[in-house]
Amino acid sequence: MRSNKVYESAEAAVADIGSGATLLVGGFGLCGIPMALIQALRDRGVSDLVCVSNNCGVDDWGLGILLQTRQIRKMISSYVGENKTFERQFLNGELEVELVPQGTLAERIRAGGAGIPAFYTATGVGTSVAEGKEVRAFDGREYVLERAITGDFALIKGWKADKLGNVIYHETERNFNPVMATAAKVTIVEVEELVEPGDLDPNFIHTPSIYVHRIVVHPNPIKRIERRTVRPRPQT
């Protein structure tokens, strides 16, 4: 059985992503990032992109490679360190940045996927995060109104998928990927292994096929470590 969701290449899967699109890009640091899809998007040369992601990779990996080619106009993120290109473009006024508390970012995306237009949260009240936003008191405590986030496309990194589009993530790769997969008009999933329908235990499926529109197989991807640390050798 073959689903028409399966694409022959990352290039084919992103072929209709145009300039100005809003992208939800999974990952946390360098873990669980859809690198093959990002590279294919870089090679297409589209520009003026709005990218929603926990962070922007590093200078030469993850979304950082789209910064190098100046294809990103705006980043909506919760963490912006580890990337000198990001820093330079932001300070020079070449990159628009919306900094969002990490839990709020996750909930804004989850709300978008659930069809909830906005919600109140206490996070950010009294800070620059709340500037220009509605603040309302509930039971004696103030909350700021946050709008949901949705995207034109979601670029997702999974571990295994079946040909219908049911997806399993591997350990920490199950970070922003599951919520982002629900919140875009078109969800494109890059996986390391593709199996037949029925081969995955339904009890362990993280993203059901109803949310997935395209699947690309990228076996044996390079998995870089953002900060390599080594435990000191015990003294003998």
Side-chain angles (χ1 to χ4, degrees):
M1 181 177 182
R2 181 175 176 82
S3 167
N4 59 6
K5 293 181 180 181
V6 181
Y7 281 61
E8 67 273 15
S9 67
E11 291 75 15
V14 303
D16 60 344
I17 298 180
S19 295
T22 296
L23 309 180
L24 311 181
V25 185
F28 187 97
L30 298 184
C31 179
I33 58 175
M35 196 61 203
L37 296 174
I38 294 171
Q39 289 173 323
L41 200 58
R42 176 199 59 191
D43 295 343
R44 287 207 62 233
V46 293
S47 60
D48 200 35
L49 298 172
V50 176
C51 292
V52 182
S53 186
N54 175 71
N55 55 285
C56 201
V58 293
D59 290 86
D60 62 343
W61 202 250
L63 286 174
I65 67 173
L66 297 183
L67 283 181
Q68 288 184 331
T69 51
R70 300 184 182 275
Q71 291 173 256
I72 299 176
R73 173 178 63 83
K74 178 179 180 179
M75 281 296 308
I76 302 175
S77 300
S78 63
Y79 178 70
V80 297
E82 317 303 331
N83 194 316
K84 295 297 183 182
T85 305
F86 188 110
E87 177 184 355
R88 183 175 61 257
Q89 290 185 9
F90 173 65
L91 293 177
N92 290 338
E94 300 166 353
L95 177 68
E96 185 179 350
V97 177
E98 181 179 343
L99 194 60
V100 184
Q102 195 167 85
T104 301
L105 180 64
E107 182 61 11
R108 288 178 67 185
I109 298 166
R110 190 204 68 81
I116 300 169
F119 61 91
Y120 287 98
T121 176
T123 303
V125 171
T127 73
S128 59
V129 170
E131 290 180 1
K133 300 174 183 176
E134 178 186 340
V135 176
R136 184 175 174 183
F138 294 91
D139 300 322
R141 187 178 184 186
E142 290 189 330
Y143 296 79
V144 61
L145 184 66
E146 293 282 1
R147 296 291 303 270
I149 292 175
T150 57
D152 299 309
F153 295 86
L155 306 184
I156 303 301
K157 170 65 173 67
W159 178 38
K160 292 183 180 181
D162 64 24
K163 293 178 180 179
L164 297 179
N166 296 297
V167 181
I168 294 176
Y169 305 98
H170 184 63
E171 297 183 351
T172 315
E173 291 185 341
R174 187 182 173 186
N175 41 53
F176 276 84
N177 282 296
V179 291
M180 287 183 168
T182 70
K185 297 174 185 175
V186 177
T187 294
I188 309 172
V189 181
E190 169 189 329
V191 296
E192 298 175 41
E193 183 179 348
L194 187 67
V195 300
E196 296 295 330
D199 286 352
L200 299 179
D201 185 335
N203 293 297
F204 295 98
I205 290 172
H206 301 130
T207 295
S209 61
I210 192 171
Y211 294 112
V212 176
H213 303 89
R214 303 172 190 174
I215 309 163
V216 172
V217 181
H218 182 217
N220 304 313
I222 297 172
K223 298 181 180 180
R224 287 183 47 175
I225 298 174
E226 189 171 0
R227 284 180 175 267
R228 186 181 298 273
T229 58
V230 180
R231 180 180 300 173
R233 177 177 296 179
Q235 297 295 321
T236 58

